[in-house]
Amino acid sequence: MNPFWSNIFRKPGYEGTLAYFLGTVPPFSALGRRDLNFLETLIHLRNYHPGETIFSEGDIGSGMYIIRSGGVRIDMKDEQGQNKVQANLEAGDFFGEIALTTPMPRIGTATATEQTVLAGLFRADVLDALRKHPAIASKILLGLNRILSERLQHAGLRLHGLSYAHLEPSYEEQ
Amino acid sequence: MTPQVRASSRHKNLVLFVVLTAGIASGITIFSSASTVADWLQTATNGLFLPILLSLIVTFLLDPLVLFFERAQISRTSSIFLVYFILLALLGLILMLVGPPNWQSMYDALRADFPRYITRVLEYLNNLMTSLYTQFPFLENYDIAGKVSHGAQEFLGLVLLGTPRSAMRIGSLFLLVPLFSFFFLRDSQRIMRTLISLTPNRYFEMVLDIYDHVSWQLANFIRGRIMEALLIGIVVWLGLSLTDIRYAPLLGAIAGITNLVPYIGPIVGMVPGLVIALVDLGIGPQFWWIFCVYLLIGQIILDNFILIPILISRVSNLHPLWVILAIVMGGKLYGILGMIIGVPIASIIKITLIEIRHYRSSFNLSQEIMLSRRE
């Protein structure tokens, strides 16, 4: 479409909406605007203070979080029981997505590092959507599935690389 | 003690005294105004209990229908209007085919017949009593027949007086129930989401999960109970209209509604039908057929073998003791209406508690798995 026309038809301020923001997150990047508007109705926005725990290791998980603004630190305990920082996440990142489909215990602790707004997507709402609007819900789940598959493949390749690492020390770097 | 110190301590005493007086006074004010406010609230919400209850029932019944249209990419509001329209059309069609029910003549007939049924029952009771008195003379101290007659007269007066007044109320129900159920259907999800979002971050996931489980179970339970009552009512009505008995639709409605109360309800629901059959038709094949409709077809075949296994999960089964307690407490709070809905409400509380316990146990299990994995 001609940029002139697309400017006229663009709703003012759409870039600021939660729906637009969700479209920029990888699992939902393939969704259309109507689907994103629906997804927005499933989202719970939660506010966290700096240092507030979002979930602890071993909690039963019920959904994923997307960082709307602020930052989140993920810690995991090592064999000695010491907290080890695994990742520092910022706006646009997401975490906890494994728990969305099955009630699994969380494998890490998530803590807000600053004033943070999280968009939470939870199993209860996704299952409800699956019953009521199966077409859109399956699109959402397909997007998540794509991300998880990519990660699984990546992890598989890494594992493969590790098992040959003692034969060819340079394999890891390739 | 210097005069200054004494003066300051006197000041302190004065302040303390004033504060205490003010505290007690405001406490009394708050207490009395609170009871006034509670009174006001009770007066204000007095007539709303029944419409809200009925609207909730209608909401639970219509929700699957609305969902059906919503799946076809129709907006929720339009789907609700569509469902309302279809129901109105159906109702109109039935009225066209059958003709409007003649409430006035039904009411007059019932008014004339009710004392007749009572007199016959009293006669029968009196006969029974005389034969009992001859065998157990000490029973003469208890005037059972008199008590029954007294109670029946009171009940009749209540019905006759209450009917014109409740006709007004029924008129307002026709206005309020569709309105309330419309908003319940459209906004209940949003209202619940707003309420849940008030929980603190730490418990948010747990509350959301538990709410999901509980609401799913509850919706099934309530829908199942309503369907059960409806089907029993229809079957009893149809079964009775095969005989010459009068008031078959009314008796069907009574059987359906009383069926909401387990163990005791079906028996209570049977009594009016059997009394009318006994008085009007006498003991004969028709009476036994009516008896069979109530007991064999309605209760044993339909309810126990077909409806309960399909519609109602075993989770909601209450111990008979709890059933009796719920009936008594419901009756104390809300009279006959409370007796009928007391047991379903007790079941709702039980389902909620069981779901929470279930969730907590699976929570503990997952923590044990985590711990064992780390070792």
Side-chain angles (χ1 to χ4, degrees):
Chain A
M1 201 190 267
N2 177 323
F4 173 76
W5 288 108
S6 66
N7 263 333
I8 282 186
F9 286 121
R10 196 176 59 196
K11 272 189 190 163
Y14 181 65
E15 273 81 2
T17 60
L18 182 59
Y20 177 80
F21 167 73
L22 289 171
T24 63
V25 182
F28 311 123
S29 55
L31 296 182
R33 187 186 277 203
R34 185 190 272 249
D35 303 337
L36 288 171
N37 281 334
F38 176 75
L39 181 62
E40 191 184 340
T41 64
L42 302 182
I43 293 286
H44 292 269
L45 279 180
R46 310 289 302 170
N47 292 295
Y48 293 85
H49 298 299
E52 192 175 351
T53 308
I54 298 156
F55 54 72
S56 311
E57 194 173 333
D59 281 1
I60 194 155
S62 71
M64 68 182 286
Y65 292 94
I66 305 147
I67 305 174
R68 179 94 209 257
S69 66
V72 170
R73 193 183 65 237
I74 307 285
D75 299 317
M76 263 160 111
K77 283 204 178 81
D78 57 11
E79 284 82 37
Q80 281 83 44
Q82 296 290 315
N83 267 336
K84 246 177 102 180
V85 177
Q86 289 292 313
N88 277 304
L89 305 174
E90 50 195 30
D93 290 340
F94 59 95
F95 57 96
E97 65 282 350
I98 313 265
L100 193 62
T101 42
T102 28
M104 300 256 266
R106 303 280 191 193
I107 51 173
T109 301
T111 317
T113 52
E114 48 192 299
Q115 195 68 38
T116 302
V117 180
L118 296 181
L121 178 64
F122 298 100
R123 193 179 337 116
D125 294 316
V126 172
L127 289 181
D128 201 46
L130 209 53
R131 283 192 288 262
K132 291 178 179 168
H133 304 275
I136 305 181
S138 46
K139 271 190 211 166
I140 295 169
L141 287 174
L142 201 64
L144 274 165
N145 191 16
R146 200 186 65 233
I147 296 290
L148 290 179
S149 312
E150 278 172 18
R151 253 191 233 166
L152 192 64
Q153 195 186 29
H154 189 71
L157 284 176
R158 292 263 315 243
L159 206 63
H160 186 72
L162 280 179
S163 63
Y164 287 99
H166 63 284
L167 298 176
E168 299 170 66
S170 61
Y171 195 93
E172 248 295 54
E173 279 88 64
Q174 282 172 8
Chain B
M1 213 183 267
T2 60
Q4 262 184 340
V5 171
R6 201 178 296 154
S8 84
S9 82
R10 199 181 296 151
H11 277 147
K12 271 183 192 161
N13 279 344
L14 199 67
V15 168
L16 188 71
F17 177 73
V18 168
V19 165
L20 267 182
T21 320
I24 291 169
S26 54
I28 289 171
T29 322
I30 289 172
F31 179 75
S32 64
S33 70
S35 62
T36 337
V37 168
D39 274 355
W40 284 347
L41 271 180
Q42 206 184 1
T43 324
T45 55
N46 196 13
L48 285 180
F49 184 71
L50 192 63
I52 288 181
L53 184 78
L54 284 178
S55 321
L56 281 175
I57 290 175
V58 170
T59 307
F60 273 110
L61 276 181
L62 295 189
D63 193 50
L65 277 175
V66 173
L67 200 61
F68 175 77
F69 289 112
E70 223 188 335
R71 280 207 185 117
Q73 304 291 325
I74 302 172
S75 83
R76 190 159 179 92
T77 315
S78 318
S79 318
I80 298 170
F81 276 124
L82 206 60
V83 168
Y84 271 31
F85 178 74
I86 290 173
L87 281 184
L88 261 180
L90 266 180
L91 210 66
L93 198 71
I94 290 171
L95 280 183
M96 288 246 286
L97 289 178
V98 186
N102 197 343
W103 298 111
Q104 188 60 43
S105 71
M106 218 147 111
Y107 174 65
D108 288 340
L110 197 65
R111 202 166 144 179
D113 277 345
F114 192 77
R116 195 160 59 84
Y117 294 133
I118 290 296
T119 344
R120 286 297 296 271
V121 170
L122 283 181
E123 266 173 35
Y124 179 74
L125 261 182
N126 272 328
N127 288 340
L128 194 76
M129 290 315 289
T130 36
S131 69
L132 268 180
Y133 288 153
T134 49
Q135 282 172 1
F136 307 100
F138 64 89
L139 275 178
E140 277 192 62
N141 296 328
Y142 303 100
D143 184 19
I144 295 178
K147 266 185 188 159
V148 168
S149 134
H150 187 70
Q153 294 297 337
E154 256 182 13
F155 181 71
L156 183 65
L158 204 78
V159 167
L160 291 186
L161 273 179
T163 308
R165 218 186 305 155
S166 60
M168 285 270 293
R169 218 185 276 165
I170 286 170
S172 74
L173 282 186
F174 276 117
L175 194 71
L176 286 181
V177 170
L179 198 71
F180 282 173
S181 9
F182 173 77
F183 286 114
F184 285 156
L185 276 171
R186 203 187 63 159
D187 297 331
S188 59
Q189 208 154 9
R190 207 167 1 166
I191 295 169
M192 286 318 292
R193 277 177 75 89
T194 318
L195 280 182
I196 290 174
S197 71
L198 296 177
T199 47
N201 285 331
R202 194 76 197 90
Y203 305 105
F204 178 74
E205 283 188 39
M206 190 177 77
V207 169
L208 188 72
D209 242 19
I210 288 176
Y211 166 72
D212 181 57
H213 283 243
V214 170
S215 66
W216 185 241
Q217 284 275 352
L218 281 189
N220 276 342
F221 168 75
I222 294 172
R223 219 167 279 147
R225 275 286 175 205
I226 299 167
M227 290 300 285
E228 188 195 0
L230 264 178
L231 286 174
I232 292 277
I234 289 171
V235 164
V236 168
W237 172 30
L238 291 181
L240 291 189
S241 34
L242 293 180
T243 66
D244 297 332
I245 197 169
R246 300 159 74 181
Y247 313 116
L250 195 65
L251 292 174
I254 292 175
I257 292 171
T258 51
N259 201 65
L260 289 173
V261 181
Y263 310 115
I264 303 161
I267 300 169
V268 175
M270 229 161 78
V271 168
L274 291 185
V275 166
I276 290 178
L278 208 60
V279 172
D280 281 353
L281 309 170
I283 293 187
Q286 288 204 347
F287 175 80
W288 293 116
W289 165 248
I290 289 166
F291 192 70
C292 277
V293 165
Y294 270 120
L295 206 69
L296 205 69
I297 300 179
Q299 280 311 307
I300 297 174
I301 296 179
L302 188 65
D303 211 26
N304 278 345
F305 286 135
I306 303 176
L307 292 184
I308 289 183
I310 294 175
L311 292 176
I312 302 195
S313 70
R314 202 161 291 173
V315 181
S316 60
N317 277 348
L318 284 177
H319 191 273
L321 199 65
W322 287 116
V323 170
I324 292 166
L325 277 179
I327 293 171
V328 172
M329 280 155 80
K332 283 263 182 216
L333 278 175
Y334 278 110
I336 294 178
L337 187 67
M339 283 176 159
I340 292 168
I341 61 170
V343 179
I345 286 178
S347 309
I348 286 171
I349 294 171
K350 187 188 174 190
I351 291 173
T352 311
L353 290 179
I354 283 181
E355 278 298 325
I356 290 174
R357 203 172 65 187
H358 181 74
Y359 182 84
R360 289 187 70 95
S361 68
S362 63
F363 181 85
N364 288 337
L365 195 71
S366 78
Q367 283 202 323
E368 273 165 29
I369 293 170
M370 282 294 290
L371 286 175
S372 66
R373 206 173 56 185
R374 195 172 294 149
E375 276 159 10

